[in-house]
Every structure is written in C-alpha cells, then in structure tokens.
C-alpha cells in the first residue's frame, strides 16, 4: 500500500471514529434528555397533587388518568406515575403509606431519580420520631438522588429536614449548618421558606442558650412575611407560629410585658379560629407566664377554657397536654378532689397514648419486617432463578464452544487436506510442465542445429555457385554445362531456403509472443528489429542472419547494437541470454 493509500485509509478510520463518537454522545444526550423529561413530568405531577392532598376523589381521577396513559402507550413512566399518585391517597396514614412507598421504590429501581428522591424523603419523615437513625439514612439517600438530577428540585427542603433531625437529636451546630444550606438553596421569591429558615435559626439559638439571637432571627422571619401583600392561609398560620415563638423567647428573658402581649394575642387568635391543637399549645405558654407573674384570675380563665373544649378534643396528645395544664392549676391551688379526678384521667390518657404509640410502632415495624422478609424472599427466588439461568447459560455456552471448536477443527483439517491435494496437483502439473518444457527445449535445440546445418550447406552451395559463375568468364569452357550446373545449384538453394523457412515458421506462435512482450517492454523497437530478435534468441551468428535476410553482417551488427541500446543493455550484456530470459 502506497503513502497516499495509507493517508486515505487513516482519514477514513478517523471519520468513522468521529461518527461513532458522535452517535454515542447523541445516544447519551437523548437518553439523559428523556430521563430529565420524565423527572420533570413527576415534578409537575407533584405540583398538581400537592394542593389537593385532602381531596381523594380528585387524586383518584388523576391516578386513573395516569394508568390510562400507561395502557395506551405501555410506557413504564405512566405506570410509575399512577403508583406515585396512590402515595398521596395514603399521605395521612403512615402505617399504610410506608408499604406503598417501599413498593414504589422497588418498582422504580432507581430508574427515575426524582421518584427515588421523593420516596426516601417520605420514609425519612415517617420514621423521624420512631426510628431517627433510619430516618437519617433515608434523608441522606434522598439528598444523593436529588444531587444526581440536573435540577435540584427539593434540595433546600431536604437540607431543612436533615437540620431538623439534628435539632431533634440536640446536635445544634449541625442543625444550624443544614438550616443555612437550606437557606442558600432557596429562591428569592420563596418568602415562606426563607422566613421558616430564620425561624429555625431562632429555635436553634434558643436551644443553644442564645435567646437574644433567637429573637433577632425570629423578628427577621416575621418581617419577611409582614412585608408581603396578600398572604395565603399557610403563610398566615406560619406568621402566627413565629409570633408565638417570639413571645416564648421574651418570657425566657423575663420580659414579661412583651411576652404577655404577644402570647395573649396569639392565644386569642387560635381560640377565635377554633384551632384546638394550636390554642392548647398557646394556652400552655400564657398559663406558664401567668403562674410566673402570679395572675391567678387569668390562670382560671385559661383552665375554664380548656375544660370547656376538652370534650371536643380527639387527639390524645392534645388531651394529655390540656389535662396537664389543668392538673398544674389544681395542684397549685390545692384543689385535691379535682386534682385526683384529673390525675386519674391523665393516667388513662397516658395508657391510651402508650397503647396507640405501641400499636403505631408495631404496625410500622410489622410493615417494615414484612417488606424486609418479602424482599429477602424475592431476592432468594431471584438468586435461585439467576443460578438456574446462569447454569443454563454456561451449559449453552459450553455446548456452543464445543460446536465451534469442532467446526474449527473440521475446517482446519479440510483446509489442510485441500491444501495438500492442491499442492500435490501443482507438483504433478509442475513436473508435467517440466517434462514438456524439456522436450520442447530439446526439440528447439534440434531445430536450431538443423538450421545451422542448412545455413552451412547454403553457404557452401553459394560458394560453388560463385565459383561456377566465375568459370563463365573463362575461355574454352562449356557454357551449357556451366549453366546446367548453375540451375542445379540454384534449385538446391531454393530447396534449402524452403526448408529453412519451414523450420523458422514452426516457431511462429512463440515468435509472436516474444514480439508482443518486447513491444510492451520497448515500444521503440521497429518491425525489422523485432524480426531480427527472433534470430538472436536462437543464438544465430551475424553471418547466418545476413544469409537468411540477404544483407551484410555489418548491417546485422548495427541492428544488434541498436536493439541492445533500446532494451537498456550494456555492451558486455549478451542479447541472446536476455531474450531467452523473457
């Protein structure tokens, strides 16, 4: 292969590599784009479901819509989206929600990072109080999946949750760190969550003994929401929650005037709103303040309010807190009869709360154990199936290898056999050609010998003819006899020339092939020169060739020199040897 061919080949290979690389990158881009689109789809679905989490009929309609899409397209994305919708139907029932989330995780199998992220997030929140360590593992998994996405959908909320877990564990430095990370990842228009982070800073500072800083951060959060127009209900509720916390901080710093003003305002707000849960929490703070400041009348008003709403309170935790406040009042005022009744009631509530807690923990534990056992069982079955498939695959591979090896051996044997047969035939053909060539060589040698003899006879005859012609010049010579002798000699010369011509024409085909080859090699050779080459190849002398061509030996030598020059031969090169090598 020449240099240009190599360059062309290298260019072709380079272009092929570039094309394959382009196709590979295009495939990656399309694959990533497709998954990104799916993750965006799940995010938008979450945005659609979140506002209607308390409306099961609407959620069921969306679930049906997603499953219909799956039936039409057979796209797994829609099957996962329909199962994801089911998660919202069980949102307020942790024991039932956990199995749904686990099944969704298993079916998704980390295919879509958004689903893996949201499922781990949900499990972390569900196990926050019952299994804090496990909750931390799930929140870490959720953060990893969120970071894998091109967009960080919920990273600020995930950091917030992780900070809260550390806060619950009383690791306040780490809690503060993750609250700060959450704030960094929030958008400027996320006013509610920005205010929430400042509220979390306040809570963390308060637990760290820095109540002054807690007040500053809480005021920042309150100011953010107060400066916003047209607050929605969630923002209004959170604003009041921060005010409630602010009142508690003033109380802790013994600024009872500001504390009472804020806490009483919040208590009245929740009471008028008829929010039993928040009004009980708020009443505890104002009740503590009234005890500290010795306001018995105000204490009684709080207790009367709590006693009045107790029958309608269904949550056991709220009932316990409510009765604990009443118990403290009776204890402080030595109302032993009422204290006994309240204490008995509290004892029953504690038992009920313990039973409920145990039941919830047991349900969660049972669900987790069931899922773990099911997962182990599935894994065991999968391992058995995998081993069977592996054995079958290995057996098939072994059989295939044996078949391929057998075919290769058979092919190699056939190839060797065929090569031997071809070699044997070529050897026989070569030997046969050698014999033919040897016979032809002997034949040609014999022809050349005969031609030399004929030429020798012709030369002798010509000499005699010349002598007879000279006799005709002499006087007293019988002219008729001389003429008869001359006619006889001429006739002999004609016979000799005829025999020479016949001998020469026997090699006409070989002469033609020789002249064709010489013409191809040296187009400058004339027809006369080509014809003379047929004499030179028979190694005839210049004298013999001159006799055949009726020319002089000098002319033959000149032609011979010209032919050697045209063929690129030097003076010492033998022309006959060269022509015989062709």
């Amino acid at each position: 292969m020449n240099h240009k061919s190599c360059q062309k080949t290298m260019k072709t290979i380079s272009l092929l590599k570039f094309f394959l690389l382009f196709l590979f990158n295009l495939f990656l881009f399309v694959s990533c784009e497709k998954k990104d689109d799916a993750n965006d789809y799940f995010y938008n679905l979450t945005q659609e479901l979140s506002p209607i989490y308390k409306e099961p009929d609407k959620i069921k309609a969306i679930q049906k819509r997603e499953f219909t899409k799956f039936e039409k397209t057979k796209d797994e994305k829609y099957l996962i989206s329909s199962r994801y919708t089911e998660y919202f139907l069980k949102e307020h029932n942790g024991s039932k929600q956990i199995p749904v989330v686990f099944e969704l995780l298993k079916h998704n199998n980390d295919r879509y990072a958004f689903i893996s992220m949201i499922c781990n997030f949900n499990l972390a929140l569900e196990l926050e109080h019952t299994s804090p360590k496990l909750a931390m593992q799930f929140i870490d998994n959720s953060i990893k999946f969120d970071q894998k996405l091109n967009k960080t959908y919920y990273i600020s909320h995930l950091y917030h949750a992780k900070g809260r877990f550390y806060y619950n564990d009383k690791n306040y430095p780490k809690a503060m760190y993750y609250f700060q990370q959450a704030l960094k990842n929030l958008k400027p228009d996320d006013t509610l969550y920005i205010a929430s982070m400042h509220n979390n800073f306040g809570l963390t500072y308060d637990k760290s003994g820095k109540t002054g800083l807690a007040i500053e951060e809480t005021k920042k959060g309150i100011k953010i929401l107060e400066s916003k127009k047209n607050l929605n209900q969630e923002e209004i509720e959170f604003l009041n929650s921060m005010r409630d916390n602010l009142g508690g901080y003033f109380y802790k710093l013994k600024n009872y005037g500001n504390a009472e003003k804020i806490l009483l305002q919040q208590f009245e707000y929740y009471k008028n709103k008829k929010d039993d849960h928040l009004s009980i929490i708020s009443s505890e703070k104002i009740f503590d303040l009234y005890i500290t400041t010795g306001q018995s009348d105000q204490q009684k008003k709080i207790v009367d309010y709590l006693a009045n709403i107790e029958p309608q309170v269904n949550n056991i935790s709220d009932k316990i807190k409510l009765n604990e406040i009443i118990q403290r009042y009776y204890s402080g005022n030595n109302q032993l009869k009422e204290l006994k009744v309240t204490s008995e009631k509290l004892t029953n509530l504690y038992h009920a709360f313990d039973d409920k807690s145990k039941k919830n923990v047991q349900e969660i534990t049972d669900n987790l154990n069931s899922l773990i056992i099911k997962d182990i069982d599935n894994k065991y079955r999968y391992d058995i199936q995998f081993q069977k498939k592996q054995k079958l695959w290995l057996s098939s591979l072994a059989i295939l290898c044996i078949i391929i090896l057998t075919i290769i051996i058979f092919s190699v044997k056939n190839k060797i056999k065929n090569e031997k047969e071809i070699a044997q035939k070529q050897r026989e053909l070569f030997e046969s050609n050698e014999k033919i060539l040897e016979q032809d060589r002997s034949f040609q040698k014999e022809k050349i010998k005969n031609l030399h003899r004929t030429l020798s006879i012709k030369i002798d005859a010509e000499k005699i003819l010349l002598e007879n012609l000279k006799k005709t010049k002499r006087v007293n010579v019988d002219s008729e006899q001389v003429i008869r002798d001359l006619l006889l000699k001429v006739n002999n010369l004609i016979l000799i020339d005829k025999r020479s011509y016949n001998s020469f024409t026997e090699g006409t085909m070989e002469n033609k092939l020789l002249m064709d080859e010489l013409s191809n090699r040296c187009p400058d050779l004339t027809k006369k020169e080509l014809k003379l080459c047929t004499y030179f190849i028979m190694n005839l002398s210049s004298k013999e060739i001159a006799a055949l061509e009726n020319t002089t030996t000098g002319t033959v030598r000149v032609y011979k020199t010209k032919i050697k020059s045209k063929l690129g031969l030097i003076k010492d090169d033998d022309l006959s040897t060269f022509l015989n090598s062709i």
Side-chain angles (χ1 to χ4, degrees):
M1 187 182 289
N2 58 32
H3 182 63
K4 288 185 178 179
S5 299
C6 289
Q7 283 186 329
K8 190 176 179 182
T9 304
M10 292 301 292
K11 285 181 180 178
T12 305
I13 292 169
S14 299
L15 286 171
L16 183 60
K17 285 182 178 178
F18 174 78
F19 181 68
L20 291 172
L21 184 63
F22 172 75
L23 287 179
F24 178 72
N25 289 330
L26 181 64
F27 171 76
L28 287 180
F29 174 77
V30 171
S31 300
C32 293
E33 191 69 26
K34 187 177 178 182
K35 289 207 170 184
D36 285 346
D37 289 345
N39 287 313
D40 284 339
Y41 182 84
F42 294 127
Y43 172 75
N44 293 330
L45 182 62
T46 306
Q47 299 299 100
E48 183 183 4
L49 289 164
S50 296
I52 58 171
Y53 71 96
K54 291 183 179 179
E55 302 177 60
D57 291 338
K58 289 184 179 179
I59 295 173
K60 286 178 182 177
I62 293 173
Q63 184 183 26
K64 185 178 179 181
R65 178 193 74 192
E66 295 302 304
F67 191 74
T68 302
K69 288 181 182 179
F70 167 69
E71 288 181 322
K72 286 181 179 179
T73 63
K74 300 302 178 185
D75 189 341
E76 284 283 312
K77 176 178 74 175
Y78 297 117
L79 180 60
I80 291 174
S81 66
S82 67
R83 293 187 177 185
Y84 176 52
T85 308
E86 187 181 351
Y87 152 79
F88 284 84
L89 290 171
K90 306 281 194 308
E91 188 167 7
H92 297 290
N93 192 329
S95 60
K96 291 184 179 179
Q97 191 180 32
I98 289 174
V100 173
V101 175
F102 266 107
E103 285 297 323
L104 183 58
L105 263 178
K106 183 179 176 183
H107 187 78
N108 182 56
N109 196 26
D110 296 342
R111 194 180 325 175
Y112 302 109
F114 183 90
I115 295 295
S116 297
M117 178 269 293
I118 209 77
C119 287
N120 278 278
F121 188 21
N122 172 264
L123 291 170
L125 296 178
E126 289 296 330
L127 299 171
E128 178 180 359
H129 301 293
T130 56
S131 183
K133 288 185 178 180
L134 196 55
M136 189 66 81
Q137 291 179 17
F138 282 121
I139 200 68
D140 285 337
N141 288 340
S142 187
I143 290 170
K144 287 177 184 177
F145 281 113
D146 195 271
Q147 289 172 339
K148 284 181 181 179
L149 297 163
N150 290 334
K151 306 172 185 177
T152 50
Y153 294 95
Y154 290 114
I155 193 66
S156 57
H157 301 289
L158 299 176
Y159 283 143
H160 176 200
K162 189 165 183 177
R164 192 171 74 212
F165 294 171
Y166 278 121
Y167 178 86
N168 295 339
D169 196 39
K170 299 180 181 180
N171 190 337
Y172 302 121
K174 283 193 174 181
M176 180 64 78
Y177 170 78
Y178 281 103
F179 289 148
Q180 289 171 343
Q181 293 300 310
L183 181 61
K184 285 180 183 178
N185 285 277
L186 287 170
K187 297 175 183 177
D189 57 344
D190 290 334
T191 51
L192 176 61
Y193 299 114
I194 292 171
S196 172
M197 287 307 104
H198 287 290
N199 181 63
N200 288 336
F201 296 156
L203 292 169
T204 309
Y205 279 133
D206 178 56
K207 292 294 183 180
S208 303
K210 301 175 183 178
T211 309
L213 291 175
I215 291 173
E216 289 180 16
E217 291 295 337
T218 307
K219 282 183 176 180
K220 285 180 185 178
I222 291 171
K223 187 178 179 181
I224 289 169
L225 288 183
E226 285 180 339
S227 62
K228 184 181 178 183
K229 295 179 181 179
N230 301 321
L231 297 178
N232 59 37
Q233 191 58 39
E234 186 179 8
E235 289 169 333
I236 293 170
E237 293 301 326
F238 192 72
L239 176 59
N240 282 284
S241 174
M242 286 193 291
R243 288 170 178 165
D244 207 32
N245 290 339
L246 183 62
Y249 300 148
F250 278 124
Y251 169 70
K252 189 173 281 189
L253 289 177
K254 298 182 180 181
N255 188 340
Y256 300 130
N258 282 334
E260 183 177 1
K261 181 182 176 182
I262 295 171
L263 292 175
L264 186 58
Q265 181 184 351
Q266 293 309 117
F267 173 69
E268 292 298 329
Y269 171 78
Y270 293 128
K271 186 171 73 171
N272 293 332
K273 193 186 172 190
K274 295 183 179 180
D275 188 328
D276 295 337
H277 173 69
L278 292 175
S279 64
I280 290 169
I281 293 173
S282 183
S283 65
E284 183 181 24
K285 293 179 181 179
I286 193 69
F287 184 77
D288 289 341
L289 176 66
Y290 288 149
I291 290 176
T292 304
T293 56
Q295 300 181 57
S296 300
D297 293 340
Q298 297 298 331
Q299 292 176 36
K300 189 173 187 310
K301 286 181 181 179
I302 298 294
V303 169
D304 289 343
Y305 165 74
L306 293 174
N308 185 48
I309 67 169
E310 184 193 9
Q312 67 195 43
V313 176
N314 296 318
N315 186 279
I316 295 177
S317 297
D318 291 339
K319 258 187 182 314
I320 289 172
K321 190 175 287 294
L322 181 148
N323 280 281
E324 284 177 342
I325 295 169
I326 295 173
Q327 184 188 48
R328 287 170 61 197
Y329 175 75
Y330 290 147
S331 176
N333 290 279
N334 293 319
Q335 292 177 251
L336 299 178
K337 183 179 179 181
E338 290 83 356
L339 178 61
K340 183 180 178 181
V341 173
T342 305
S343 297
E344 288 177 355
K345 192 183 290 184
L346 273 171
T347 301
N348 293 330
L349 287 170
Y350 289 144
H351 287 311
F353 181 77
D354 287 342
D355 290 341
K356 186 179 179 181
S357 298
K358 287 178 182 177
K359 185 179 179 182
N360 287 336
V361 171
Q362 188 63 45
E363 284 182 358
I364 292 171
T365 305
D366 288 344
N367 282 325
L368 288 173
N369 288 335
S370 175
L371 288 167
I372 290 168
I373 291 169
K374 187 178 178 181
D375 189 55
I376 292 171
D377 184 54
N378 288 336
K379 188 177 179 182
Y380 176 71
R381 289 180 181 178
Y382 173 78
D383 288 342
I384 291 174
Q385 290 177 353
F386 178 76
Q387 287 176 4
K388 287 181 178 178
K389 287 180 180 178
Q390 193 177 39
K391 287 179 180 178
L392 180 61
W393 185 81
L394 288 172
S395 300
S396 302
L397 183 63
I399 293 169
L400 183 63
C401 289
I402 291 169
I403 292 171
I404 292 171
L405 189 62
T406 304
I407 292 170
I408 290 171
I409 292 170
F410 182 75
S411 300
V412 170
K413 283 186 175 180
N414 277 344
K415 187 177 179 182
I416 293 169
K417 184 179 177 182
N418 291 335
E419 286 177 351
K420 284 182 177 179
E421 290 177 354
I422 292 167
Q424 181 64 29
K425 288 178 180 179
Q426 287 178 342
R427 192 162 43 250
E428 291 174 356
L429 182 63
F430 178 75
E431 290 174 356
S432 175
N433 288 337
E434 278 289 316
K435 289 178 182 179
I436 293 169
L437 286 172
E438 185 61 34
Q439 290 174 359
D440 185 61
R441 197 178 295 115
S442 300
F443 177 70
Q444 293 296 334
K445 285 181 180 179
E446 188 62 33
K447 283 202 303 182
I448 291 168
K449 285 180 182 179
N450 290 334
L451 185 59
H452 278 290
R453 291 192 198 101
T454 304
L455 287 172
S456 181
I457 294 168
K458 183 182 178 183
I459 291 167
D460 291 341
E462 286 174 344
K463 285 179 180 180
I464 295 169
L465 177 63
L466 185 61
E467 288 296 326
N468 288 333
L469 286 172
K470 287 179 180 180
K471 285 181 181 180
T472 58
K473 293 180 180 181
R474 295 175 187 173
V475 184
N476 301 321
V477 175
D478 189 353
S479 298
E480 289 183 7
Q481 182 61 40
V482 171
I483 289 169
R484 278 196 298 272
D485 289 340
L486 283 173
L487 288 173
L488 180 63
K489 297 299 180 185
V490 169
N491 188 52
N492 288 336
L493 284 172
I494 290 169
L495 289 174
I496 291 168
D497 284 339
K498 186 178 179 181
R499 190 168 55 190
S500 296
Y501 177 78
N502 290 337
S503 178
F504 176 73
T505 53
E506 285 177 3
T508 301
M509 183 56 69
E510 289 85 348
N511 293 338
K512 186 177 183 306
L513 291 173
L514 175 65
M515 284 190 279
D516 289 344
E517 181 63 24
L518 284 171
S519 296
N520 290 333
R521 290 197 183 191
C522 186
D524 294 339
L525 291 173
T526 63
K527 289 183 179 180
K528 180 69 174 178
E529 289 169 341
L530 289 171
K531 184 178 180 183
L532 290 174
C533 284
T534 60
Y535 295 127
F536 292 135
I537 200 171
M538 292 187 290
N539 206 19
L540 296 179
S541 66
S542 297
K543 186 177 180 179
E544 292 170 334
I545 296 170
L548 286 171
E549 290 296 314
N550 292 320
T551 186
T552 64
T553 56
T555 302
V556 174
R557 290 193 189 96
V558 170
Y559 273 112
K560 187 174 185 180
T561 303
K562 285 182 179 180
I563 292 169
K564 287 175 71 175
S565 176
K566 289 181 179 181
L567 291 174
L569 300 177
I570 62 175
K571 185 178 179 181
D572 295 334
D573 289 336
D574 185 69
L575 180 59
S576 178
T577 303
F578 173 78
L579 293 173
N580 277 292
S581 68
I582 298 175

